[in-house]
Amino acid sequence: MIYLDNSATTQMDEDVLTAMLPWLRQDYGNASSIYGLGRRARVAIEQARADIAECINAHPAEIFFTSGGTESNNTVLKSCVDESALADTIAVGATEHHAILHPLEILAQKHTTAIIPVDENGVIQKETVQMYNLPRTLISIMHANNETGIIQPIQELRSQCPEALFHTDAVQSFGKIPFDVQQLGVDFASFSAHKIHGPKGVGALFIRKGIDFKAHQQGGGQERNRRAGTEATALIVGFAFAAKKAYREMQQRAAHTHSLIALLRKELSDVEGLHCNTPEENTLPTIIHFSLDHADTIDGEAILQSLDICGIAASNGSACVSGSMQSSHVLLAMGRSKAEAKAAVRFSVSRHTTKEEIQIAAAALKDILTSLRG
Ligand code: PLP
């Protein structure tokens, strides 16, 4: 199999698993217990917290472990308007992941919400965001888009809105490009482990010091009363291990993946009617996204199924909508037609992807398009 869906999830590294195993076997204690077995788990979790904090230039007390990006996003949105009562209005980018857009739909029943439009490249302009610079407003804009890979100018957008609270979903960018909470000036940020060769089911939420944030999930007093539930020690240790490794190897990984994306771009540049939605600049080094100009005559699902028959795993962008094959809300927000938003292919690579795999995938896509048009 040629795996080109690394933005959906990645293969967990063997050394990540090795780092996790003791916490699933002999060191199974509850980190809240006062005896040695529990205290050892507590030490491991606090070390992991310090490691994640160091990656993003935060203080360890600003890092809260969650079950992943979805929980981190839900927690910020819901707690800000409900439990913490910090905001009355939420404004989010039009191309956000469903882990932002779907909770927003629910919150819209009781709170004021708004969708911030993007330009034709999927980027939010600073003039557009300025109107949300109001006290008691939460703005949520993702760092990098999971379908097209475009990077939003978070630092600039944040600086336009000093009155508002600012959250960024950094699930796709974390560990792939630098992310510094001080430089970006955000109040909240969401992260996930399984996009960087870590385990599934664990992530983190950055909450800036000084914000009076209350738990969205109630129960025990874990995570300093901000996220109830026994900490998943092994997952947390695996997350920190994968994150430290991603940061150590960031430059080398980015150079490798970027060269593969450039190769794919070149190989597919002459395919008639294939439109690349990932600009060459200000994008993640791991994603390239295409749609079809004459999508009304081609079945987008058939492209992905044909790639699968060739042994190539790719998707149309968002793992959460593939299978049901809806039109991409990201492309629609960028002003594309419904048909084009349905016939899309995203290739996302990792440090394990090879040049040969890219050449095979490009040739396969060309053949598939020729036969489907046939
Ligand atoms: N946010 C973005 C941008 C994502 O790409 C994803 C996963 O695809 C999520 C949030 C959800 O993260 P998780 O799978 O850890 O819940």
Side-chain angles (χ1 to χ4, degrees):
M1 181 194 55
I2 297 178
Y3 186 70
L4 298 177
D5 202 16
N6 287 276
S7 290
T9 198
T10 54
Q11 182 178 17
M12 194 168 80
D13 282 344
E14 208 46 48
D15 52 2
V16 173
L17 178 64
T18 306
M20 289 167 62
L21 281 176
W23 307 99
L24 293 165
R25 288 183 173 143
Q26 68 275 17
D27 281 319
Y28 54 82
N30 184 323
S32 301
S33 302
I34 56 165
Y35 41 82
L37 199 62
R39 288 201 308 274
R40 275 205 297 283
R42 168 62 48 213
V43 170
I45 289 170
E46 295 317 314
Q47 183 56 54
R49 198 185 307 283
D51 291 340
I52 299 287
E54 197 182 334
C55 289
I56 62 165
N57 195 19
H59 190 279
E62 296 175 311
I63 303 297
F64 298 85
F65 290 112
T66 65
S67 63
T70 302
E71 183 188 327
S72 297
N73 286 348
N74 269 266
T75 299
V76 172
L77 262 56
K78 292 176 179 171
S79 177
C80 273
V81 289
D82 286 337
E83 292 86 2
S84 306
L86 293 166
D88 310 310
T89 303
I90 311 178
V92 314
T95 59
E96 297 298 301
H97 191 268
H98 285 145
I100 289 286
L101 293 175
H102 288 168
L104 189 85
E105 274 171 29
I106 303 287
L107 292 170
Q109 295 165 8
K110 283 196 285 169
H111 302 278
T112 309
T113 60
I115 300 285
I116 310 170
V118 297
D119 68 10
E120 69 279 7
N121 290 317
V123 180
I124 294 178
Q125 296 299 319
K126 62 174 196 270
E127 295 75 20
T128 315
V129 89
Q130 277 164 352
M131 65 184 284
Y132 301 101
N133 179 31
L134 299 163
R136 296 194 56 77
T137 298
L138 171 69
I139 296 172
S140 184
I141 298 175
M142 69 202 319
H143 191 210
N145 186 267
N146 47 295
E147 295 190 27
T148 63
I150 74 107
I151 298 168
Q152 297 285 0
I154 295 295
Q155 186 177 356
E156 189 184 43
L157 298 177
R158 197 314 166 241
S159 69
Q160 298 301 311
C161 305
E163 297 291 330
L165 287 165
F166 203 105
H167 167 251
T168 191
D169 174 346
V171 166
Q172 287 292 338
S173 58
F174 179 66
K176 295 177 191 143
I177 55 172
F179 185 92
D180 181 323
V181 289
Q182 307 309 337
Q183 195 188 3
L184 297 177
V186 295
D187 299 305
F188 307 103
S190 301
F191 308 98
S192 185
H194 72 101
K195 312 285 188 188
I196 53 162
H197 307 283
K200 292 170 188 51
V202 64
L205 174 60
F206 160 79
I207 304 175
R208 186 172 288 285
K209 237 187 196 164
I211 294 179
D212 186 13
F213 193 87
K214 302 210 168 47
H216 171 61
Q217 174 171 308
Q218 290 81 25
Q222 292 93 349
E223 297 294 279
R224 295 188 312 290
N225 284 318
R226 282 178 165 176
R227 197 271 186 176
T230 303
E231 296 92 339
T233 314
L235 296 178
I236 290 170
V237 168
F239 176 22
F241 191 98
K244 275 199 302 183
K245 195 169 160 191
Y247 269 76
R248 258 194 329 269
E249 298 175 2
M250 189 181 283
Q251 274 191 343
Q252 219 174 306
R253 287 186 190 187
H256 174 69
T257 56
H258 184 263
S259 73
L260 297 178
I261 293 296
L263 177 61
L264 207 38
R265 189 187 294 277
K266 187 166 151 270
E267 294 277 326
L268 295 172
S269 62
D270 59 351
V271 179
E272 204 218 308
L274 196 64
H275 185 93
C276 182
N277 300 306
T278 305
E280 290 195 44
E281 308 226 312
N282 296 324
T283 51
L284 287 181
T286 47
I287 293 181
I288 191 156
H289 187 271
F290 298 95
S291 52
L292 290 151
D293 289 346
H294 304 293
D296 39 349
T297 56
I298 288 201
D299 179 1
E301 205 165 343
I303 301 174
L304 297 179
Q305 281 165 353
S306 305
L307 283 169
D308 184 27
I309 291 166
C310 300
I312 299 163
S315 84
N316 61 345
S318 170
C320 309
V321 292
S322 62
S324 56
M325 219 58 192
Q326 294 151 354
S327 296
S328 153
H329 69 280
V330 174
L331 291 190
L332 290 177
M334 288 160 62
R336 304 298 171 72
S337 71
K338 245 185 157 170
E340 194 180 348
K342 231 176 168 176
V345 185
R346 175 190 69 183
F347 294 110
S348 49
V349 300
S350 82
R351 69 199 169 89
H352 299 304
T353 314
T354 65
K355 198 174 152 191
E356 291 67 40
E357 288 179 322
I358 293 298
Q359 280 160 339
I360 294 169
L365 182 62
K366 284 185 195 177
D367 288 347
I368 290 165
L369 291 177
T370 309
S371 69
L372 287 177
R373 279 176 178 142

